């Protein structure tokens, strides 16, 4: 959101879908489903964009902005919406976006293959 285009006389709320984010060392310590879904303060969301300003474009133009957020209290919490304390962004080049996409597909295939019994419809 371009803050200069916002009206100072109005209050704005930005709502988006976020995913829990944990560093590799923290993810290794959270083994159970309960541990993975409690005491969460770090989240991320991804926004696709192109240099021309469009949300989607050709593969060679597609970039990705990853936004990492830290909230004031850990979820689950009494409130379902919390103030964001820190925010940082990371911009991925088209090559990095393609690489990450391939990595995700490989991980998905490995999970499908290792499942017992193997779900052949997913292959």
């Amino acid at each position: 959101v371009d803050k200069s285009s916002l009206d100072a006389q109005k209050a704005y709320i930005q709502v988006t879908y976020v995913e829990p984010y944990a560093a590799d060392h923290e993810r290794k310590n959270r083994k159970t489903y309960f541990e993975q879904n409690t005491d969460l303060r770090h989240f991320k969301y991804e926004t696709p964009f192109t240099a021309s300003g469009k949300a989607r474009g050709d593969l060679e133009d597609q970039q990705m902005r990853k936004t990492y957020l830290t909230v004031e209290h850990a979820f689950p919490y009494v409130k379902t919406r919390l103030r964001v304390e820190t925010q940082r962004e990371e911009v991925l080049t088209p090559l990095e976006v393609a690489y990450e996409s391939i990595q995700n597909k490989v991980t998905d295939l490995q999970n499908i293959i290792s499942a017992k019994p193997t779900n052949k419809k997913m292959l």
Side-chain angles (χ1 to χ4, degrees):
V1 176
D2 181 16
K3 291 182 181 178
S4 63
S5 66
L6 301 178
D7 183 358
Q9 300 299 316
K10 295 181 182 177
Y12 295 91
I13 297 175
Q14 182 178 359
V15 180
T16 188
Y17 169 79
V18 295
E19 297 175 356
Y21 172 77
D24 290 335
H25 69 279
E26 188 177 340
R27 204 173 310 125
K28 289 177 186 176
N29 294 334
R30 294 175 176 247
K31 293 181 174 57
T32 67
Y33 180 80
F34 178 80
E35 290 171 338
Q36 293 169 7
N37 291 285
T38 57
D39 198 25
L40 303 172
R41 290 190 67 223
H42 306 284
F43 300 90
K44 76 172 183 174
Y45 67 93
E46 299 174 345
T47 310
F49 71 98
T50 61
S52 65
K54 296 180 184 176
R56 300 264 182 214
D58 293 331
L59 187 61
E60 64 269 8
D61 299 328
Q62 190 65 53
Q63 296 184 39
M64 182 76 69
R65 179 178 297 110
K66 290 186 176 186
T67 306
Y68 298 90
L69 308 169
T70 302
V71 294
E72 62 184 341
H73 300 287
F75 278 105
Y77 191 67
V78 175
K79 297 179 182 178
T80 56
R81 295 182 182 99
L82 293 174
R83 183 180 310 278
V84 173
E85 284 186 340
T86 63
Q87 173 180 332
R88 85 179 157 84
E89 291 182 353
E90 176 183 328
V91 176
L92 275 62
T93 65
L95 182 61
E96 292 169 322
V97 172
Y99 175 76
E100 190 172 275
S101 177
I102 291 169
Q103 250 186 337
N104 290 340
K105 293 292 182 186
V106 168
T107 301
D108 290 345
L109 282 172
Q110 286 174 334
N111 291 337
I112 292 167
I113 291 169
S114 65
K116 299 295 180 205
T118 302
N119 186 348
K120 294 175 186 168
K121 290 182 182 179
M122 295 300 290
L123 295 174

Tab-separated table of all heavy atoms in Angstrom, residues 99-120:
chain	number	residue	atom	x	y	z
A	99	TYR	N	12.705	-21.102	-9.079
A	99	TYR	CA	13.427	-22.091	-8.275
A	99	TYR	C	12.600	-22.520	-7.071
A	99	TYR	O	12.475	-23.711	-6.771
A	99	TYR	CB	14.772	-21.511	-7.825
A	99	TYR	CG	15.537	-22.410	-6.889
A	99	TYR	CD1	16.214	-23.525	-7.365
A	99	TYR	CD2	15.570	-22.145	-5.526
A	99	TYR	CE1	16.915	-24.355	-6.507
A	99	TYR	CE2	16.259	-22.973	-4.659
A	99	TYR	CZ	16.933	-24.071	-5.148
A	99	TYR	OH	17.615	-24.901	-4.294
A	100	GLU	N	12.010	-21.564	-6.371
A	100	GLU	CA	11.194	-21.873	-5.199
A	100	GLU	C	9.960	-22.677	-5.581
A	100	GLU	O	9.542	-23.591	-4.865
A	100	GLU	CB	10.794	-20.587	-4.492
A	100	GLU	CG	10.155	-20.824	-3.149
A	100	GLU	CD	9.940	-19.540	-2.391
A	100	GLU	OE1	10.879	-19.098	-1.715
A	100	GLU	OE2	8.828	-18.992	-2.476
A	101	SER	N	9.372	-22.358	-6.718
A	101	SER	CA	8.203	-23.094	-7.194
A	101	SER	C	8.546	-24.555	-7.468
A	101	SER	O	7.796	-25.464	-7.086
A	101	SER	CB	7.657	-22.430	-8.454
A	101	SER	OG	6.579	-23.162	-8.965
A	102	ILE	N	9.684	-24.789	-8.109
A	102	ILE	CA	10.137	-26.160	-8.377
A	102	ILE	C	10.431	-26.887	-7.075
A	102	ILE	O	10.069	-28.058	-6.906
A	102	ILE	CB	11.366	-26.149	-9.312
A	102	ILE	CG1	10.942	-25.679	-10.699
A	102	ILE	CG2	12.013	-27.524	-9.387
A	102	ILE	CD1	12.092	-25.386	-11.637
A	103	GLN	N	11.072	-26.209	-6.135
A	103	GLN	CA	11.361	-26.805	-4.830
A	103	GLN	C	10.076	-27.240	-4.121
A	103	GLN	O	10.019	-28.331	-3.541
A	103	GLN	CB	12.085	-25.785	-3.941
A	103	GLN	CG	13.506	-26.095	-3.677
A	103	GLN	CD	14.094	-25.098	-2.677
A	103	GLN	OE1	13.620	-23.983	-2.505
A	103	GLN	NE2	15.147	-25.518	-2.023
A	104	ASN	N	9.057	-26.414	-4.172
A	104	ASN	CA	7.780	-26.734	-3.530
A	104	ASN	C	7.125	-27.945	-4.186
A	104	ASN	O	6.569	-28.798	-3.494
A	104	ASN	CB	6.835	-25.531	-3.564
A	104	ASN	CG	7.283	-24.410	-2.663
A	104	ASN	OD1	8.068	-24.609	-1.741
A	104	ASN	ND2	6.811	-23.212	-2.947
A	105	LYS	N	7.183	-28.019	-5.513
A	105	LYS	CA	6.609	-29.167	-6.224
A	105	LYS	C	7.345	-30.450	-5.868
A	105	LYS	O	6.723	-31.498	-5.673
A	105	LYS	CB	6.647	-28.950	-7.739
A	105	LYS	CG	5.751	-27.853	-8.222
A	105	LYS	CD	4.299	-28.224	-8.058
A	105	LYS	CE	3.418	-27.118	-8.607
A	105	LYS	NZ	2.022	-27.356	-8.360
A	106	VAL	N	8.666	-30.401	-5.771
A	106	VAL	CA	9.458	-31.576	-5.403
A	106	VAL	C	9.097	-32.039	-3.994
A	106	VAL	O	8.903	-33.230	-3.740
A	106	VAL	CB	10.971	-31.285	-5.528
A	106	VAL	CG1	11.803	-32.369	-4.872
A	106	VAL	CG2	11.359	-31.126	-6.984
A	107	THR	N	8.964	-31.094	-3.064
A	107	THR	CA	8.581	-31.424	-1.694
A	107	THR	C	7.199	-32.081	-1.659
A	107	THR	O	6.998	-33.078	-0.975
A	107	THR	CB	8.592	-30.172	-0.805
A	107	THR	OG1	9.900	-29.603	-0.827
A	107	THR	CG2	8.198	-30.489	0.621
A	108	ASP	N	6.252	-31.526	-2.434
A	108	ASP	CA	4.912	-32.104	-2.499
A	108	ASP	C	4.967	-33.538	-3.019
A	108	ASP	O	4.318	-34.432	-2.473
A	108	ASP	CB	3.995	-31.266	-3.387
A	108	ASP	CG	3.643	-29.921	-2.791
A	108	ASP	OD1	3.866	-29.735	-1.570
A	108	ASP	OD2	3.158	-29.057	-3.544
A	109	LEU	N	5.732	-33.772	-4.084
A	109	LEU	CA	5.854	-35.119	-4.646
A	109	LEU	C	6.494	-36.083	-3.655
A	109	LEU	O	6.057	-37.237	-3.526
A	109	LEU	CB	6.659	-35.088	-5.945
A	109	LEU	CG	5.908	-34.592	-7.179
A	109	LEU	CD1	6.859	-34.421	-8.354
A	109	LEU	CD2	4.786	-35.551	-7.529
A	110	GLN	N	7.514	-35.638	-2.945
A	110	GLN	CA	8.159	-36.496	-1.944
A	110	GLN	C	7.176	-36.877	-0.842
A	110	GLN	O	7.155	-38.025	-0.398
A	110	GLN	CB	9.380	-35.798	-1.346
A	110	GLN	CG	10.557	-35.747	-2.283
A	110	GLN	CD	11.710	-34.925	-1.729
A	110	GLN	OE1	11.523	-34.030	-0.912
A	110	GLN	NE2	12.913	-35.224	-2.199
A	111	ASN	N	6.356	-35.938	-0.414
A	111	ASN	CA	5.360	-36.224	0.618
A	111	ASN	C	4.309	-37.220	0.116
A	111	ASN	O	3.884	-38.105	0.852
A	111	ASN	CB	4.684	-34.943	1.101
A	111	ASN	CG	5.619	-34.060	1.876
A	111	ASN	OD1	6.619	-34.506	2.429
A	111	ASN	ND2	5.307	-32.776	1.918
A	112	ILE	N	3.897	-37.083	-1.132
A	112	ILE	CA	2.906	-37.993	-1.711
A	112	ILE	C	3.483	-39.396	-1.846
A	112	ILE	O	2.831	-40.385	-1.492
A	112	ILE	CB	2.427	-37.468	-3.079
A	112	ILE	CG1	1.611	-36.189	-2.890
A	112	ILE	CG2	1.608	-38.523	-3.814
A	112	ILE	CD1	1.349	-35.430	-4.170
A	113	ILE	N	4.710	-39.488	-2.319
A	113	ILE	CA	5.349	-40.791	-2.530
A	113	ILE	C	5.609	-41.504	-1.210
A	113	ILE	O	5.442	-42.715	-1.096
A	113	ILE	CB	6.651	-40.623	-3.337
A	113	ILE	CG1	6.314	-40.203	-4.761
A	113	ILE	CG2	7.468	-41.899	-3.334
A	113	ILE	CD1	7.506	-39.756	-5.572
A	114	SER	N	5.994	-40.748	-0.183
A	114	SER	CA	6.330	-41.369	1.096
A	114	SER	C	5.093	-41.736	1.924
A	114	SER	O	5.206	-42.460	2.900
A	114	SER	CB	7.246	-40.464	1.912
A	114	SER	OG	6.562	-39.280	2.271
A	115	ALA	N	3.917	-41.236	1.537
A	115	ALA	CA	2.694	-41.553	2.269
A	115	ALA	C	2.341	-43.026	2.077
A	115	ALA	O	2.516	-43.594	1.002
A	115	ALA	CB	1.550	-40.677	1.781
A	116	LYS	N	1.851	-43.638	3.138
A	116	LYS	CA	1.433	-45.043	3.084
A	116	LYS	C	-0.051	-45.118	3.359
A	116	LYS	O	-0.491	-44.681	4.418
A	116	LYS	CB	2.203	-45.873	4.122
A	116	LYS	CG	3.699	-45.881	3.926
A	116	LYS	CD	4.080	-46.555	2.633
A	116	LYS	CE	5.599	-46.537	2.502
A	116	LYS	NZ	6.096	-46.604	1.199
A	117	PRO	N	-0.866	-45.626	2.491
A	117	PRO	CA	-0.567	-46.021	1.129
A	117	PRO	C	-0.428	-44.809	0.214
A	117	PRO	O	-0.990	-43.752	0.490
A	117	PRO	CB	-1.769	-46.861	0.719
A	117	PRO	CG	-2.889	-46.302	1.530
A	117	PRO	CD	-2.263	-45.844	2.837
A	118	THR	N	0.314	-44.961	-0.862
A	118	THR	CA	0.531	-43.873	-1.809
A	118	THR	C	-0.782	-43.524	-2.517
A	118	THR	O	-1.462	-44.409	-3.010
A	118	THR	CB	1.591	-44.261	-2.859
A	118	THR	OG1	2.794	-44.583	-2.183
A	118	THR	CG2	1.850	-43.129	-3.834
A	119	ASN	N	-1.112	-42.257	-2.541
A	119	ASN	CA	-2.319	-41.796	-3.224
A	119	ASN	C	-1.983	-41.578	-4.704
A	119	ASN	O	-1.407	-40.564	-5.068
A	119	ASN	CB	-2.831	-40.507	-2.579
A	119	ASN	CG	-4.161	-40.053	-3.146
A	119	ASN	OD1	-4.623	-40.552	-4.159
A	119	ASN	ND2	-4.768	-39.093	-2.466
A	120	LYS	N	-2.343	-42.512	-5.535
A	120	LYS	CA	-1.966	-42.468	-6.956
A	120	LYS	C	-2.656	-41.343	-7.692
A	120	LYS	O	-2.162	-40.862	-8.705
A	120	LYS	CB	-2.272	-43.809	-7.607
A	120	LYS	CG	-1.408	-44.908	-7.054
A	120	LYS	CD	-1.786	-46.265	-7.615
A	120	LYS	CE	-0.958	-47.322	-6.902
A	120	LYS	NZ	-1.457	-48.663	-7.169
